[in-house]
Amino acid sequence: MLSQVDLAREASHLSRFIYNFRRWKDVSFPKPVYPLVHPAVLVETYEHGESVARYVDGMEGHEWIKTRLAHIGTHALLKMLLVDNFIHADMHPGNILVRKKASRGGLFKTKKPHIVFLDVGMTAELSKNDRENLLEFFKAVALRDGRTAALRTLKLSRKQNCPNPEAFIEEVEEAFKFWGTPEGDLVHPADCMHELLEKVRRHRVNVDGNVCTVMVTTLVLEGWQRKLDPGYDVMHTLQTMVLKTDWAKSLSYTVDGLMAP
């Protein structure tokens, strides 16, 4: 909590995000105004825009913009998680501005959405081991492999105090068997994640703070993006990329390619 209110640290987070997204035309961050930076004071550039909540909660007739916003937000998170290993851990709608910029070319002028991420005081970075376990967990979820998903979950803490790991593994396997049936296939992947985290809580499975932060951030993002575009599945996109990409070598190119105009 104390690190979040150190505004000099937040300024360094902004600079790091600005560098990481320097090639992206539809994502930006406020710039810290040096030398007006201090642990108790942070002056940033003023960013014009309207809250993404306006689109989440309504805005009839703007479906293409909503779909585009869901696309941009998802791939920004994927880049943070899988390429940069530096994640904005407070991605609720109040911290996201949208502005529309006119695009040139063609017979008609259109306004493409641009996202500005605010309030980067809370971030997460994963150790090599945690990152590997989390990616393998997502792979197991994508492959409907309940046993591996449970085993990887048990490895998401250096000090695992689950009183009955076998009971946890067995219950997760049963849930995955149901999700693999035609009836279970109708359950949204994010709802499966919520149910899995409930089993984690009930069986007192330890999950390290940074890993938990990343999982919760993913679910928060998924929640408002599902409202923007019910047909766009953050979890499925994440699972597909983890399955199909050798992320250690080429994921950066994959994400950049997906975001190319």
Side-chain angles (χ1 to χ4, degrees), residues 9 23 56 85 88 136 145 231 246:
R9 181 190 291 259
R23 293 192 179 95
V56 171
N85 190 26
H88 186 324
E136 290 301 322
D145 182 351
D246 181 358

Side-chain angles (χ1 to χ4, degrees), residues 41-256:
V41 178
L42 172 57
V43 178
E44 306 174 359
T45 53
Y46 182 80
E47 300 295 329
H48 293 273
E50 54 191 0
S51 172
V52 76
R54 187 179 173 206
Y55 294 89
V56 171
D57 298 332
M59 291 287 287
E60 294 295 326
H62 290 77
E63 274 61 35
W64 76 271
I65 291 181
K66 292 181 180 181
T67 299
R68 183 64 183 160
L69 289 173
H71 181 90
I72 295 169
T74 298
H75 288 96
L77 175 65
L78 288 172
K79 175 174 165 53
M80 293 176 193
L81 175 61
L82 302 176
V83 178
D84 304 327
N85 190 26
F86 188 61
I87 302 111
H88 186 324
D90 202 11
M91 281 183 160
H92 62 80
N95 283 340
I96 298 168
L97 294 179
V98 177
R99 57 177 175 240
K100 289 177 279 188
K101 56 182 182 180
S103 61
R104 298 175 182 177
L107 295 173
F108 304 101
K109 285 185 178 180
T110 58
K111 289 191 173 181
K112 295 171 67 177
H114 178 100
I115 282 181
V116 184
F117 288 106
L118 309 174
D119 191 7
V120 300
M122 185 161 65
T123 60
E125 292 180 74
L126 300 179
S127 68
K128 184 179 179 181
N129 189 54
D130 285 342
R131 200 174 179 209
E132 181 182 325
N133 278 321
L134 190 60
L135 289 170
E136 290 301 322
F137 164 79
F138 282 126
K139 281 186 184 179
V141 172
L143 294 169
R144 308 275 180 169
D145 182 351
R147 186 169 187 83
T148 301
L151 288 169
R152 287 292 176 175
T153 304
L154 288 166
K155 289 182 178 180
L156 291 175
S157 175
R158 294 172 190 81
K159 295 180 180 179
Q160 188 51 259
N161 297 316
C162 175
N164 193 342
E166 280 304 318
F168 171 70
I169 293 169
E170 188 177 325
E171 192 171 321
V172 171
E173 279 192 290
E174 282 300 312
F176 271 75
K177 283 178 186 174
F178 169 70
W179 293 333
T181 65
E183 186 182 353
D185 195 49
L186 298 174
V187 181
H188 195 280
D191 295 329
C192 297
M193 278 287 293
H194 280 287
E195 191 175 328
L196 187 59
L197 289 175
E198 172 59 23
K199 295 182 194 305
V200 165
R201 185 196 64 79
R202 195 166 61 251
H203 284 272
R204 288 182 284 169
V205 176
N206 295 76
V207 177
D208 284 350
N210 260 5
V211 177
C212 198
T213 297
V214 170
M215 295 175 91
V216 170
T217 297
T218 304
L219 291 172
V220 167
L221 183 81
E222 192 282 331
W224 62 261
Q225 294 204 340
R226 204 194 307 189
K227 288 183 179 179
L228 281 173
D229 183 358
Y232 195 75
D233 189 338
V234 175
M235 296 303 301
H236 178 72
T237 303
L238 175 57
Q239 291 160 6
T240 301
M241 291 192 68
V242 169
L243 277 175
K244 291 187 176 180
T245 309
D246 181 358
W247 59 272
K249 294 180 181 176
S250 60
L251 194 55
S252 177
Y253 298 105
T254 303
V255 175
D256 287 344

